[in-house]
Amino acid sequence: GQQLNQSPQSMFIQEGEDVSMNCTSSSIFNTWLWYKQDPGEGPVLLIALYKAGELTSNGRLTAQFGITRKDSFLNISASIPSDVGIYFCAGRMEGNEKLTFGTGTRLTIIP
Amino acid sequence: NAGVTQTPKFQVLKTGQSMTLQCAQDMNHEYMSWYRQDPGMGLRLIHYSVGAGITDQGEVPNGYNVSRSTTEDFPLRLLSAAPSQTSVYFCASSYSPHEQYFGPGTRLTVT
């Protein structure tokens, strides 16, 4: 099935640092979503993107829909301890009723 | 609104046993889906439904059955549990396949 390549797989950063992660596909997507999952919880939607080139912010989080429609990026500025968790990208192809998820980026903040 | 609720939260089964994982939502969402989450593999779609009476297979449907008799409920049945079905199961709902809201998950162990 369709695969989404998410990188990096894990990140170890210090509090206050900025974070960047990305998601790439071999196919064109018309929707990109970013989710965060805390330990023992279900994923929570952070940002939804619907148009190529779109740049959307949610507080310290900013996500972009790549102009090729085959990638998306998530940036977190000035990280804080509650940013710890796993970040998943998800995408949907035109005419497809299903979402495809990436394998996640695990973010850890080093004291 | 309670959002998406899942029961049970934890379950241990013996190989060959059957059981039903419950999922309910009170947001009047048409679209509901079941995912399983395994370490390093992200979220994989098992079955989904675009409305009452309509279901379809996802990426990994074997060994699972679903039905959608009401808008609110979308139970997942394991017909004959196998150790390979040890996983965390998430139910999600939304108005469309885009912005899905996830439940808290059911952690299933098959021995």
Side-chain angles (χ1 to χ4, degrees), chain A residues 32-43:
Chain A
W32 285 99
L33 306 165
W34 285 92
Y35 286 85
K36 177 178 182 263
Q37 184 177 30
D38 291 326
E41 303 289 332

Side-chain angles (χ1 to χ4, degrees), chain B:
Chain B
N1 286 354
V4 180
T5 58
Q6 291 184 240
T7 56
K9 197 163 179 62
F10 300 94
Q11 183 71 50
V12 179
L13 290 178
K14 293 189 188 313
T15 297
Q17 287 185 316
S18 62
M19 80 158 294
T20 299
L21 279 62
Q22 301 292 344
C23 175
Q25 53 91 8
D26 61 359
M27 297 174 281
N28 204 32
H29 287 163
E30 291 294 326
Y31 190 93
M32 296 185 75
S33 52
W34 276 102
Y35 295 86
R36 60 179 288 174
Q37 185 176 31
D38 302 297
M41 299 195 71
L43 291 147
R44 293 184 293 168
L45 183 64
I46 304 171
H47 286 285
Y48 67 101
S49 169
V50 299
I54 307 168
T55 63
D56 207 345
Q57 295 181 349
E59 182 185 352
V60 287
N62 292 341
Y64 307 95
N65 270 1
V66 292
S67 60
R68 184 96 180 270
S69 55
T70 67
T71 299
E72 295 77 21
D73 300 297
F74 191 41
L76 178 72
R77 296 182 193 83
L78 278 70
L79 309 172
S80 177
S84 61
Q85 294 179 304
T86 293
S87 189
V88 182
Y89 292 85
F90 289 101
C91 178
S93 77
S94 59
Y95 287 116
S96 73
H98 304 294
E99 301 180 18
Q100 296 183 25
Y101 295 88
F102 284 81
T106 293
R107 283 142 188 85
L108 176 68
T109 301
V110 183
T111 61

